[in-house]
Coordinates of all heavy atoms in Angstrom, one line a residue:
Chain A
P219 N 213.1 23.0 161.4 CA 213.5 21.7 161.9 C 212.2 20.8 162.2 O 211.2 21.3 162.7 CB 214.2 22.0 163.3 CG 214.8 23.4 163.0 CD 213.8 24.1 162.1
G220 N 212.2 19.6 161.8 CA 211.1 18.7 161.9 C 210.1 18.8 160.8 O 209.3 17.8 160.6
Q221 N 210.2 19.8 159.9 CA 209.3 19.9 158.9 C 209.1 18.7 158.0 O 208.0 18.3 157.6 CB 209.6 21.1 158.0 CG 208.7 21.3 156.8 CD 209.3 22.4 155.9 OE1 209.9 23.4 156.3 NE2 209.0 22.2 154.6
D222 N 210.2 18.0 157.7 CA 210.2 16.8 157.0 C 211.3 15.9 157.4 O 212.2 16.4 158.1 CB 210.2 17.0 155.5 CG 209.6 15.9 154.6 OD1 209.2 14.8 155.3 OD2 209.5 15.9 153.5
I224 N 214.7 14.1 156.8 CA 215.8 14.3 155.9 C 216.1 13.1 155.1 O 216.3 13.2 153.9 CB 217.1 14.7 156.8 CG1 216.8 16.0 157.5 CG2 218.3 14.8 155.9 CD1 217.9 16.5 158.4
R225 N 216.2 11.9 155.8 CA 216.5 10.7 155.0 C 215.4 10.3 154.0 O 215.7 9.8 152.9 CB 216.8 9.5 156.0 CG 218.2 9.7 156.6 CD 218.5 8.7 157.7 NE 217.6 8.8 158.7 CZ 216.8 7.8 159.2 NH1 216.8 6.6 158.7 NH2 215.9 8.1 160.2
Q228 N 215.9 12.1 150.9 CA 217.0 11.6 150.1 C 216.5 10.4 149.4 O 216.9 10.2 148.2 CB 218.2 11.2 151.0 CG 218.9 12.4 151.6 CD 219.6 13.2 150.6 OE1 220.3 12.7 149.7 NE2 219.5 14.5 150.6
D229 N 215.7 9.6 150.0 CA 215.2 8.4 149.2 C 214.3 8.8 148.1 O 214.5 8.2 147.0 CB 214.3 7.5 150.2 CG 215.2 6.9 151.3 OD1 216.4 6.8 151.2 OD2 214.6 6.5 152.3
Y260 N 216.4 25.8 156.1 CA 216.9 24.9 157.2 C 217.7 23.8 156.6 O 218.9 23.6 156.8 CB 215.8 24.4 158.0 CG 216.2 23.3 159.0 CD1 217.3 23.5 159.8 CD2 215.5 22.1 159.0 CE1 217.7 22.5 160.6 CE2 216.0 21.0 159.8 CZ 217.0 21.2 160.6 OH 217.5 20.2 161.4
T261 N 217.1 22.9 155.8 CA 217.8 21.9 155.1 C 217.6 22.1 153.6 O 216.6 22.6 153.1 CB 217.3 20.4 155.4 OG1 216.0 20.4 155.1 CG2 217.6 20.1 156.8
T262 N 218.6 21.8 152.8 CA 218.5 21.7 151.4 C 218.9 20.3 151.0 O 219.8 19.7 151.6 CB 219.5 22.7 150.7 OG1 219.1 24.0 151.0 CG2 219.5 22.5 149.2
P265 N 222.8 19.9 149.4 CA 223.5 21.1 149.9 C 224.9 21.2 149.6 O 225.5 22.3 149.7 CB 223.3 21.1 151.4 CG 223.3 19.6 151.7 CD 222.7 18.9 150.5
D266 N 225.6 20.1 149.3 CA 227.0 20.2 149.2 C 227.6 19.2 148.1 O 226.8 18.3 147.7 CB 227.7 20.0 150.5 CG 227.3 18.7 151.2 OD1 226.7 17.8 150.5 OD2 227.4 18.5 152.4
W267 N 228.8 19.3 147.8 CA 229.4 18.4 146.7 C 229.3 17.0 147.2 O 229.2 16.1 146.3 CB 230.8 18.9 146.3 CG 231.9 18.5 147.3 CD1 232.4 19.2 148.3 CD2 232.6 17.2 147.3 NE1 233.4 18.5 148.9 CE2 233.5 17.2 148.3 CE3 232.5 16.1 146.5 CZ2 234.4 16.2 148.6 CZ3 233.4 15.0 146.7 CH2 234.3 15.1 147.8
G268 N 229.5 16.8 148.4 CA 229.5 15.3 148.9 C 228.2 14.6 148.6 O 228.1 13.5 148.2
T269 N 227.1 15.4 148.9 CA 225.7 14.7 148.6 C 225.6 14.5 147.1 O 225.1 13.5 146.7 CB 224.6 15.7 149.1 OG1 224.9 15.9 150.6 CG2 223.3 15.0 149.0
L275 N 227.5 8.9 142.1 CA 228.3 7.7 142.1 C 227.3 6.5 142.0 O 227.6 5.5 141.3 CB 229.0 7.6 143.5 CG 230.2 6.8 143.6 CD1 231.3 7.3 142.6 CD2 230.8 6.8 145.0
R276 N 226.2 6.5 142.6 CA 225.2 5.5 142.5 C 224.6 5.4 141.1 O 224.2 4.4 140.7 CB 224.1 5.6 143.6 CG 224.6 5.3 145.0 CD 223.5 5.5 146.0 NE 224.1 5.4 147.3 CZ 224.2 4.3 148.0 NH1 223.7 3.2 147.5 NH2 224.7 4.3 149.2
N295 N 236.9 26.1 150.3 CA 237.9 26.1 149.3 C 237.4 25.4 148.0 O 237.4 24.2 148.0 CB 239.2 25.4 149.8 CG 240.3 25.5 148.9 OD1 240.2 25.5 147.7 ND2 241.5 25.7 149.4
E297 N 238.5 25.4 144.8 CA 239.5 24.7 144.0 C 239.8 23.4 144.6 O 240.1 22.4 143.8 CB 240.7 25.6 143.7 CG 241.5 25.9 144.9 CD 241.1 27.3 145.5 OE1 239.9 27.7 145.4 OE2 242.0 28.0 146.1
F298 N 239.7 23.2 145.9 CA 240.0 21.9 146.5 C 238.9 20.9 146.0 O 239.2 19.8 145.6 CB 240.0 22.0 148.0 CG 240.2 20.6 148.6 CD1 241.5 20.2 148.9 CD2 239.1 19.8 148.9 CE1 241.7 18.9 149.5 CE2 239.3 18.6 149.5 CZ 240.6 18.1 149.8
A301 N 239.5 20.0 142.5 CA 240.6 19.0 142.3 C 240.1 17.6 142.8 O 240.4 16.6 142.1 CB 241.8 19.4 143.2
R305 N 239.8 14.3 140.4 CA 240.5 13.1 140.7 C 239.6 11.9 140.7 O 240.0 10.8 140.4 CB 241.2 13.3 142.1 CG 242.1 12.1 142.5 CD 242.8 12.4 143.9 NE 243.5 11.2 144.3 CZ 242.9 10.3 145.1 NH1 241.6 10.5 145.5 NH2 243.5 9.2 145.5
E306 N 238.3 12.1 141.1 CA 237.3 11.1 141.1 C 236.6 10.9 139.8 O 235.7 10.0 139.7 CB 236.3 11.4 142.2 CG 236.8 11.5 143.6 CD 237.1 10.2 144.3 OE1 236.6 9.2 143.8 OE2 237.8 10.2 145.3
R336 N 242.8 30.4 140.6 CA 243.2 29.1 141.3 C 242.3 28.0 140.8 O 242.8 26.8 140.7 CB 243.0 29.3 142.8 CG 244.0 30.3 143.4 CD 244.0 30.3 144.9 NE 242.7 30.2 145.6 CZ 242.1 31.2 146.1 NH1 242.6 32.5 146.1 NH2 241.0 31.0 146.7
E340 N 243.7 24.6 138.7 CA 243.4 23.1 139.0 C 242.9 22.5 137.7 O 243.3 21.3 137.4 CB 242.4 23.0 140.0 CG 242.8 23.3 141.4 CD 244.1 22.6 141.9 OE1 244.2 21.4 141.6 OE2 245.0 23.2 142.5
S343 N 245.9 22.1 135.4 CA 246.9 21.1 135.9 C 246.4 19.7 135.7 O 247.2 18.8 135.5 CB 247.0 21.3 137.5 OG 247.5 22.5 137.8
A344 N 245.1 19.5 135.6 CA 244.5 18.2 135.4 C 244.2 18.0 133.9 O 243.5 17.0 133.6 CB 243.3 18.0 136.3
Q392 N 257.5 22.5 144.7 CA 256.6 21.7 145.6 C 257.4 20.5 146.1 O 257.3 20.2 147.3 CB 255.4 21.3 144.8 CG 254.5 22.4 144.5 CD 253.3 22.0 143.6 OE1 253.3 21.0 142.9 NE2 252.2 22.9 143.6
A400 N 257.3 28.0 145.6 CA 256.2 27.4 144.9 C 255.1 28.5 144.7 O 254.5 28.6 143.7 CB 255.7 26.2 145.6
N401 N 254.8 29.1 145.8 CA 253.8 30.2 145.8 C 254.2 31.3 144.8 O 253.3 31.8 144.1 CB 253.6 30.8 147.2 CG 252.6 31.9 147.3 OD1 253.0 33.0 147.5 ND2 251.4 31.7 147.0
Chain D
P184 N 248.6 29.1 148.3 CA 248.3 28.6 147.0 C 249.6 28.3 146.2 O 250.5 29.0 146.3 CB 247.6 29.8 146.3 CG 246.9 30.5 147.4 CD 247.9 30.4 148.6
G185 N 249.6 27.1 145.6 CA 250.7 26.6 144.9 C 251.7 25.8 145.7 O 252.5 25.1 145.2
Q186 N 251.6 26.0 147.1 CA 252.6 25.3 147.9 C 252.8 23.8 147.6 O 253.9 23.3 147.7 CB 252.2 25.5 149.4 CG 253.1 24.8 150.4 CD 252.5 24.9 151.8 OE1 251.8 25.8 152.2 NE2 252.8 23.8 152.6
D187 N 251.7 23.1 147.3 CA 251.8 21.7 146.9 C 250.6 21.4 146.0 O 249.7 22.2 145.9 CB 251.8 20.8 148.2 CG 252.4 19.4 147.9 OD1 252.8 19.2 146.7 OD2 252.5 18.6 148.8
I189 N 247.3 19.6 145.1 CA 246.2 19.1 145.8 C 245.9 17.6 145.5 O 245.8 16.8 146.4 CB 244.9 19.9 145.5 CG1 245.1 21.4 146.0 CG2 243.7 19.3 146.2 CD1 244.0 22.4 145.6
R190 N 245.9 17.3 144.2 CA 245.6 15.9 143.8 C 246.7 14.9 144.2 O 246.4 13.8 144.7 CB 245.3 15.8 142.3 CG 243.9 16.3 142.0 CD 243.7 16.4 140.5 NE 244.6 17.3 139.9 CZ 245.4 17.0 138.9 NH1 245.4 15.8 138.4 NH2 246.2 17.9 138.4
Q193 N 246.2 14.0 147.7 CA 245.2 13.0 147.9 C 245.7 11.6 147.6 O 245.3 10.6 148.3 CB 244.0 13.4 147.0 CG 243.2 14.6 147.4 CD 242.4 14.4 148.7 OE1 241.8 13.4 148.9 NE2 242.6 15.3 149.6
D194 N 246.5 11.5 146.5 CA 247.0 10.2 146.2 C 247.9 9.7 147.3 O 247.8 8.5 147.7 CB 247.9 10.4 144.9 CG 247.1 10.7 143.7 OD1 245.8 10.4 143.7 OD2 247.6 11.1 142.7
Y225 N 245.3 27.1 154.0 CA 244.8 27.3 152.6 C 244.0 26.0 152.2 O 242.8 26.1 151.9 CB 245.9 27.6 151.6 CG 245.5 27.5 150.2 CD1 244.4 28.2 149.7 CD2 246.2 26.7 149.3 CE1 244.0 28.1 148.4 CE2 245.8 26.5 148.0 CZ 244.7 27.3 147.6 OH 244.3 27.1 146.3
T226 N 244.7 25.0 152.1 CA 244.0 23.7 151.9 C 244.2 22.8 153.1 O 245.2 22.8 153.7 CB 244.5 23.0 150.6 OG1 245.9 22.7 150.8 CG2 244.3 23.7 149.4
T227 N 243.2 21.9 153.3 CA 243.3 20.9 154.3 C 243.0 19.6 153.5 O 242.1 19.6 152.6 CB 242.3 21.0 155.4 OG1 242.7 22.2 156.2 CG2 242.3 19.8 156.4
P230 N 239.1 18.0 154.3 CA 238.4 19.2 154.8 C 236.9 19.0 155.1 O 236.4 19.9 155.9 CB 238.6 20.3 153.8 CG 238.6 19.5 152.5 CD 239.3 18.2 152.8
D231 N 236.3 18.1 154.5 CA 234.8 18.0 154.6 C 234.4 16.5 154.6 O 235.2 15.6 154.3 CB 234.2 18.8 153.5 CG 234.7 18.4 152.2 OD1 235.3 17.3 152.0 OD2 234.5 19.2 151.2
W232 N 233.2 16.3 154.9 CA 232.6 15.0 155.0 C 232.7 14.2 153.6 O 232.9 13.0 153.6 CB 231.2 14.9 155.6 CG 230.1 15.3 154.7 CD1 229.6 16.5 154.5 CD2 229.5 14.4 153.7 NE1 228.6 16.4 153.5 CE2 228.5 15.1 153.0 CE3 229.6 13.0 153.5 CZ2 227.7 14.6 152.1 CZ3 228.8 12.5 152.5 CH2 227.8 13.3 151.8
G233 N 232.5 15.0 152.6 CA 232.6 14.4 151.3 C 234.0 13.7 151.0 O 234.0 12.6 150.5
T234 N 235.0 14.4 151.4 CA 236.3 13.8 151.1 C 236.6 12.6 152.0 O 237.1 11.6 151.5 CB 237.4 14.9 151.4 OG1 237.1 16.1 150.6 CG2 238.8 14.4 151.1
L240 N 234.8 5.0 151.4 CA 234.1 4.2 150.5 C 235.1 3.3 149.7 O 234.8 2.1 149.5 CB 233.4 5.1 149.5 CG 232.1 4.6 148.8 CD1 231.1 4.3 149.8 CD2 231.6 5.6 147.8
R241 N 236.2 3.9 149.3 CA 237.2 3.1 148.6 C 237.9 2.0 149.5 O 238.3 1.0 149.1 CB 238.3 4.0 148.0 CG 237.8 4.7 146.8 CD 238.9 5.7 146.3 NE 238.3 6.5 145.3 CZ 238.3 6.3 144.0 NH1 238.8 5.2 143.6 NH2 237.7 7.1 143.1
N260 N 224.9 22.6 158.0 CA 223.8 21.9 158.7 C 224.4 20.5 159.1 O 224.4 19.6 158.2 CB 222.6 21.8 157.8 CG 221.5 21.1 158.5 OD1 221.6 20.2 159.3 ND2 220.2 21.6 158.3
E262 N 223.3 18.2 161.2 CA 222.4 17.0 161.3 C 222.1 16.5 159.9 O 221.8 15.3 159.8 CB 221.2 17.4 162.1 CG 220.3 18.5 161.6 CD 220.7 19.8 162.1 OE1 221.8 20.1 162.5 OE2 219.8 20.7 162.2
F263 N 222.1 17.3 158.9 CA 222.0 16.8 157.6 C 223.1 15.9 157.2 O 222.8 14.7 156.7 CB 221.9 18.0 156.6 CG 221.7 17.5 155.1 CD1 220.5 17.4 154.6 CD2 222.8 17.2 154.4 CE1 220.3 16.9 153.3 CE2 222.7 16.8 153.1 CZ 221.4 16.6 152.5
A266 N 222.5 12.7 158.9 CA 221.4 11.8 158.3 C 221.9 11.2 157.1 O 221.7 10.0 156.8 CB 220.2 12.8 158.0
R270 N 222.4 7.2 156.3 CA 221.7 6.6 155.2 C 222.7 5.8 154.3 O 222.3 4.8 153.8 CB 221.0 7.7 154.4 CG 220.2 7.2 153.2 CD 219.4 8.3 152.5 NE 218.8 7.8 151.3 CZ 219.4 7.8 150.1 NH1 220.6 8.2 150.0 NH2 218.7 7.3 149.1
E271 N 223.9 6.3 154.3 CA 225.0 5.6 153.5 C 225.7 4.5 154.3 O 226.6 3.9 153.8 CB 226.0 6.6 153.0 CG 225.4 7.7 152.1 CD 225.2 7.2 150.7 OE1 225.7 6.2 150.3 OE2 224.5 8.0 149.9
E305 N 218.2 13.0 164.8 CA 218.6 12.2 163.6 C 219.1 10.8 164.0 O 218.7 9.8 163.4 CB 219.6 12.9 162.8 CG 219.1 14.2 162.1 CD 217.9 13.9 161.2 OE1 217.9 12.8 160.5 OE2 217.0 14.8 161.2
S308 N 216.1 8.9 165.3 CA 215.2 8.5 164.2 C 215.7 7.4 163.4 O 214.9 6.6 162.8 CB 215.0 9.7 163.3 OG 214.5 10.8 164.0
A309 N 217.1 7.2 163.3 CA 217.6 6.2 162.5 C 218.0 5.0 163.4 O 218.7 4.1 162.9 CB 218.9 6.7 161.8
Q357 N 204.4 15.6 159.0 CA 205.3 15.7 157.9 C 204.6 15.2 156.6 O 204.7 15.8 155.5 CB 206.6 14.9 158.1 CG 207.5 15.4 159.2 CD 208.7 14.6 159.5 OE1 208.7 13.3 159.2 NE2 209.7 15.1 160.1
A365 N 204.5 20.0 162.3 CA 205.6 19.1 162.4 C 206.7 19.8 163.3 O 207.3 19.1 164.2 CB 206.2 18.8 161.1
N366 N 206.9 21.0 163.1 CA 207.9 21.7 163.9 C 207.5 21.8 165.3 O 208.4 21.6 166.2 CB 208.1 23.2 163.3 CG 209.0 24.1 164.1 OD1 208.6 25.0 164.8 ND2 210.3 23.7 164.1

Side-chain angles (χ1 to χ4, degrees):
Chain A
Q221 179 189 325
D222 202 357
I224 296 174
R225 282 173 300 122
Q228 289 293 312
D229 292 341
Y260 167 54
T261 59
T262 293
D266 53 20
W267 79 265
T269 306
L275 206 61
R276 285 175 191 270
N295 184 323
E297 61 266 30
F298 180 90
R305 186 174 171 273
E306 301 280 346
R336 297 192 312 261
E340 290 305 320
S343 300
Q392 290 175 341
N401 177 247
Chain D
Q186 178 189 327
D187 202 357
I189 296 175
R190 283 174 299 124
Q193 289 293 312
D194 292 340
Y225 167 55
T226 59
T227 293
D231 53 20
W232 79 266
T234 306
L240 207 60
R241 285 176 191 269
N260 184 322
E262 60 268 29
F263 180 89
R270 186 174 171 274
E271 301 279 347
E305 290 304 321
S308 300
Q357 289 175 341
N366 178 247

